[in-house]
Amino acid sequence: MSGIDTQLDGKTAVVVGTGPAIGRACVAGLAGAGARVVCLDVDSDAAKASAETARELGAEASSHQVDVLDRAALRSVVAQIAAEHGGIDVLVNVVGTSKWSLTGDTSDEEWDLVFDLNLRQQWVVVQEVLPHIPEAGGSIVVIASMSGQSASTRHGAYGAAKAGLINLVKTLAVEYGPRNIRVNAVAPGTIDTPARAGDTALGAKVPLGRRGQPRDIGLAATFLASGAADYITGQVLGVDGGVTVKHGLIDLGD
């Protein structure tokens, strides 16, 4: 065996949602593997900063401002990218949001926003990118969540949307496997992002005793996008420090 092929030299990778935590870590992972990275974000400054991160790692990179809920704008940007680079080999979609409330108290507006940004836009982005994936095939990686696999309080809309996303991943894998398009998900646990920086209480509940870092998710997404995962599709890779395998009713202290 000559080694694990995690290289993406000559591949064009589009990252959707390139903010300063998980999105930027995905950009860095793909750039480090040799991909040409195109950064998309509703925040043009975030997209530009992520593209600069890729360049610092020696990769070719560019950025575009786009709202993924605006299909027409997204279609135009995706077509432009494909025309410039001869297609799109890898798609990594990081966009999502959460709202914390008991399910019975969740407003229509909160529910719709969470589903729009965690599920609907993933479907829209995939629809727009699929026609530009080369005949040789490609890879799609979405960022799901452990909340799509197990329940927690105040996360009804988010968990339901992520569960739907996981099923979408599996369906796409079956439908587009004959085109050699692999579709997988990364399911993070608690990650130390700026939104919840310094939350040590969450880390104490993790079997590994700590919260994950954005880099952990970026590396997992890069692995799934690469040749090292060439026979992996329709799967959910948990990157959660062991949270989802822990029995919540019995512990060593019982």
Side-chain angles (χ1 to χ4, degrees):
M1 185 178 293
S2 60
I4 298 176
D5 178 16
T6 57
Q7 295 304 300
L8 291 166
D9 295 330
K11 304 292 186 181
T12 297
V14 173
V15 181
V16 184
T18 59
I22 292 175
R24 193 156 300 160
C26 289
V27 169
L30 294 163
R36 176 189 306 111
V37 187
V38 185
C39 305
L40 273 58
D41 204 290
V42 69
D43 182 341
S44 61
D45 290 338
K48 290 176 182 176
S50 290
E52 183 58 31
T53 294
R55 293 188 196 101
E56 290 171 357
L57 293 168
E60 181 183 339
S62 59
S63 65
H64 297 266
Q65 188 279 330
V66 67
D67 181 352
V68 290
L69 297 180
D70 183 342
R71 184 189 282 270
L74 177 69
R75 176 173 296 168
S76 176
V77 168
V78 168
Q80 179 183 343
I81 294 166
E84 289 176 356
H85 302 295
I88 296 171
D89 303 292
V90 173
L91 167 66
V92 177
N93 194 336
V94 186
V95 175
T97 192
S98 62
K99 297 291 183 181
W100 290 81
S101 62
L102 292 173
T103 306
D105 298 331
T106 302
S107 68
D108 291 350
E109 293 76 18
E110 288 175 330
W111 186 274
D112 290 344
L113 177 63
V114 169
F115 265 75
D116 280 348
L117 286 176
N118 290 288
L119 182 54
R120 178 180 171 81
Q121 66 83 18
Q122 293 272 1
W123 162 66
V124 171
V125 172
V126 165
Q127 279 194 326
E128 297 304 325
V129 169
L130 277 170
H132 302 290
I133 295 178
E135 289 186 8
S139 176
I140 296 170
V141 181
V142 309
I143 305 302
S145 172
M146 57 173 285
S147 293
Q149 299 173 294
S150 57
S152 61
T153 59
R154 303 181 185 276
H155 240 32
Y158 183 77
K162 290 296 190 182
L165 177 58
I166 288 170
N167 189 271
L168 178 63
V169 163
K170 295 178 180 181
T171 301
L172 288 167
V174 171
E175 290 179 341
Y176 291 93
R179 278 189 54 191
N180 197 31
I181 297 174
R182 299 183 299 104
V183 189
N184 292 290
V186 177
T190 175
I191 305 299
D192 191 9
T193 63
R196 303 196 69 177
D199 194 335
T200 56
L202 281 175
K205 299 177 180 180
V206 177
L208 285 181
R210 59 180 175 82
R211 300 178 71 194
Q213 297 299 314
R215 180 176 183 270
D216 297 318
I217 308 305
L219 291 175
T222 301
F223 161 70
L224 288 174
S226 75
D230 197 48
Y231 200 56
I232 299 175
T233 195
Q235 302 304 308
V236 182
L237 176 57
V239 185
D240 61 7
V243 168
T244 51
V245 299
K246 181 179 179 181
H247 195 310
L249 299 179
I250 302 172
D251 209 337
L252 293 175
D254 296 336

